[in-house]
Each structure stands twice: as C-alpha cells, then as structure tokens.
Amino acid sequence: MSTPPPRLVPSIARAYWVEAPGKGAIRQETLSVPVPVGYSLLETWLTGISPGTERLVGLGKVPAECQQAMACPAMGGSFKLPVKYGYCLLGQAINGPYAGQLVFTMHPHQDHAIVPNKQLLPLPQDIPPLRATLLPNLETALNAIWDSEYQAPAPVAIVGGGIVGLLIAFLLKTAWDAFPIIIERDPQRRQLIEKLGWGLTVLEVQEAPQGVFSLCFHASGQGAGLQTALDSVGFEGKVIEVSWLAHQPVTLNLGGSFHFQRKQILSSQVSTIAKPKREHTSHQQRLEQTLNYLQSPLLDALIAPAITFESLPLFMQELYHKNPVDFSFAVTYPPFHPRLHKA
C-alpha cells in the first residue's frame, strides 16, 4: 500500500488589507516556511467579519489612545493605514498537534496563516463551521453579562438589535432564564429579529418604557442609543456599555433622573475578563464556556449568506459606508469543504 505524497506547503498567502480609508485590496505576502517549531500552518476555511469594529478600522477611525488595546494577533501595518486586521479565522491545521482538525484563532482575513500553537482552539465536530464564526462575538456577549452580574428575574433591556445585542439576548434567554426586551430603531432589523423565532419582544425607540428596567445593555453603536438605555433603567439601574464609539462624541442628559435615581454606566470590553469572574476564570476557560453555548442551532439564523474571499474588498467597501441590517457575516475560502454546508 503506497503512502500519499507529502502535502505541499505554500510559501505565499493572500490577505485582505485596508489600504486607505474606505478602501481595501487583497495582497500577497510571504509565509515563513518551513513552519517554525511551536507553530502550525492553517488552510483557512472561513473568517468572520465583526461589522462595527472592522468598519471603524476600515475608515481609519481608531483613536490613538486605543490603538495598543485594539491591536490583535497577526495584525499587519498600523491603524494609521494600511492595516491587515481581523480576529476570527477558522482553518484546518496542516501540521502540528492539531493536524487535520478545524481550529479557531484570532487572525485577519487570510487564505493561509502560520500561527503559534498556543493560540489555537480545536473546534468540536458537532459545531458547524459557519456557526463557529460567531465565537468572538458570543464571547463578547458572555463577558458583558458577567460584567452586569445579572440575576433573573430582574427586568432587562437591550438597546440595539445587531449581532452583539442579539447574542446577549440569546444568552440571557437560554442560560439566565430571562425575558429581555430589544429596543431597535431600524424597522427592517426589527422584522428580521421577529423572524428569528426566538420569542423576543422587539420595540421601536418611541415605544420603549422609561425607568422600568433594572439593567440595560447598550449595543447600538450610536450615542443616542446610550441615552435611550440610560432613560430605560430605574432606581439604581445599571447600563452596560458594549458599543465601541471610537471618535464619535456623545452628549448625555444627566440633569434629570440620573443622579437622584443613582444610575450607573459601566463599560464592558472583551479583552479583559469581567471583574466578577476574573480571579477564577482564564481566557481559555471563557472560550471553552462560549463553545458550549455554540451548541445551539438557534444561532444559525443569525448568519447571513457567506461572502467569497475574492469579493471581500467590494463587500467591505460597502460595509464602510453603510450600516448593514443583517447580523453576522462570514467569508469563505476555496476549496469549499463539505462540512461548511452541513446543517
């Protein structure tokens, strides 16, 4: 019985770069072959797009004081542009301890990558790869709930029905036995949320009750949404700020009920473990817990049709200049693998 020929290791990769504000292109770059000890070569199957963050990066709007904190593994260039940026890659390991397995890593959009083994997370066979692209955003949602210290059955609202807002709603409903109210200004997005079949109550901003919630998550990405969130909570109510607003100025009305009702605004950001969990939970443990929540097929409804890697520059150009109604986007890389199409 003859052994199969050794797999050729590519020396060139293709990666998406933002070249100027609002414009990107696919570039070629050299891979470090042979693969160094302690590293694995990945053949990319999918990358995930984080619409809010990548839009601000692609428009060159990352504030100078945030650039060190916003840098991600394998990022190329700088936030002053050009830059290679992204933090969700799923690929098959060609060598190393996970050879033959599908793994997750934080990496920009690129068709082949060489990544330290310690940055790889093997993915269970029973989680469809497309659903696994939700992993970073679901981890953000989990960390935000940990930051909030939410306890059912306290009334809870979410301002902004984008991907992070809906993942917070999913976790609250399925893991915390809560009944979150979604407050969303866009009528198309409200219709999409109702079609998810999750049994969520969705209100437009004008319908949202004021002063009745114990907790509200702000995930709209708009300064006005933070005011809506603040107005929605009552005495000693807490607002968890999940949106990243970059340079966008925000004006809040703090002269009304804010002080005498002892309201709070707390920022939540995924790079740091939420304070209530920090002493006894590692980043790896948080990722593993997030994987458990990815078992739910309900999450498949959040993923829009995939984009091909070749069409990524045009898609991203459209993303930079408008706010998408769809929730989450994945990029596919040839060859097309059978597991990508399994339910």
Side-chain angles (χ1 to χ4, degrees):
M1 182 175 178
S2 60
T3 58
R7 187 160 186 171
L8 293 177
V9 176
S11 58
I12 299 293
R14 296 183 303 154
Y16 175 76
W17 284 73
V18 183
E19 297 190 323
K23 184 179 180 181
I26 294 174
R27 295 182 176 183
Q28 287 191 344
E29 52 189 78
T30 304
L31 291 174
S32 299
V33 292
V35 180
V37 175
Y39 287 72
S40 291
L41 171 67
L42 306 183
E43 176 192 65
T44 305
W45 286 19
L46 293 162
T47 53
I49 298 171
S50 183
T53 300
E54 293 194 46
R55 188 184 203 203
L56 291 169
V57 170
L59 293 172
K61 292 186 175 181
V62 179
E65 64 271 22
C66 299
Q67 291 180 5
Q68 183 175 352
M70 287 296 298
C72 62
M75 186 179 106
S78 76
F79 288 116
K80 295 179 181 179
L81 307 186
V83 68
K84 179 178 72 171
Y85 187 84
Y87 49 83
C88 177
L89 185 148
L90 279 67
Q92 186 177 49
I94 305 305
N95 70 297
Y98 304 115
Q101 296 185 54
L102 188 64
V103 296
F104 164 84
T105 189
M106 297 183 71
H107 198 285
H109 308 284
Q110 187 165 309
D111 64 354
H112 290 85
I114 294 176
V115 179
N117 294 330
K118 64 182 180 181
Q119 293 179 9
L120 302 179
L121 177 71
L123 295 171
Q125 283 278 336
D126 57 352
I127 295 179
L130 277 168
R131 190 191 305 161
T133 61
L134 296 173
L135 181 60
N137 283 322
L138 188 58
E139 187 179 19
T140 298
L142 178 62
N143 204 57
I145 297 175
W146 285 354
D147 269 320
S148 76
E149 301 182 87
Y150 176 76
Q151 293 185 0
V156 56
I158 301 162
V159 175
I163 182 62
V164 173
L166 285 176
L167 289 173
I168 291 171
F170 164 79
L171 289 174
L172 286 171
K173 189 173 176 64
T174 59
W176 270 264
D177 296 321
F179 296 92
I181 304 294
I182 305 288
I183 302 170
E184 171 56 55
R185 67 176 185 172
D186 187 284
Q188 288 180 275
R189 185 168 278 175
R190 289 199 300 271
Q191 290 180 356
L192 287 174
I193 295 170
E194 289 169 353
K195 290 179 181 178
L196 289 175
W198 290 6
L200 297 172
T201 300
V202 190
L203 303 176
E204 55 183 296
V205 175
Q206 294 80 0
E207 298 174 330
Q210 296 189 1
V212 301
F213 298 102
S214 300
L215 173 67
C216 183
F217 295 88
H218 175 233
S220 77
Q222 304 293 325
L226 181 56
Q227 184 68 59
T228 299
L230 200 57
D231 291 340
S232 75
V233 297
F235 181 72
E236 293 190 338
K238 184 187 296 184
V239 172
I240 305 298
E241 176 57 273
V242 185
S243 294
W244 181 54
L245 302 175
H247 282 298
Q248 182 180 325
V250 176
T251 301
L252 293 176
N253 176 17
L254 303 181
S257 62
F258 178 75
H259 280 288
F260 75 82
Q261 289 199 342
R262 297 170 54 87
K263 298 181 181 182
Q264 304 172 55
I265 303 174
L266 175 66
S267 171
S268 178
Q269 207 279 336
V270 71
S271 63
T272 301
I273 301 288
K275 189 175 181 179
K277 297 281 188 175
R278 197 173 303 158
E279 289 187 5
H280 50 83
T281 305
S282 67
H283 283 85
Q284 182 69 18
Q285 289 171 324
R286 187 179 64 183
L287 265 176
E288 291 169 356
Q289 188 161 344
T290 306
L291 277 179
N292 290 334
Y293 294 125
L294 273 176
Q295 300 286 341
S296 174
L298 290 174
L299 294 170
D300 294 336
L302 296 179
I303 302 171
I307 303 127
T308 64
F309 180 52
E310 286 72 19
S311 64
L312 187 56
L314 179 59
F315 176 84
M316 295 300 282
Q317 186 172 342
E318 294 176 353
L319 175 69
Y320 299 146
H321 297 291
K322 67 177 184 179
N323 189 24
V325 173
D326 289 320
F327 307 123
S328 184
F329 302 96
V331 183
T332 61
Y333 295 70
F336 296 98
H337 301 272
R339 272 189 68 195
L340 296 183
H341 306 288
K342 289 184 179 179

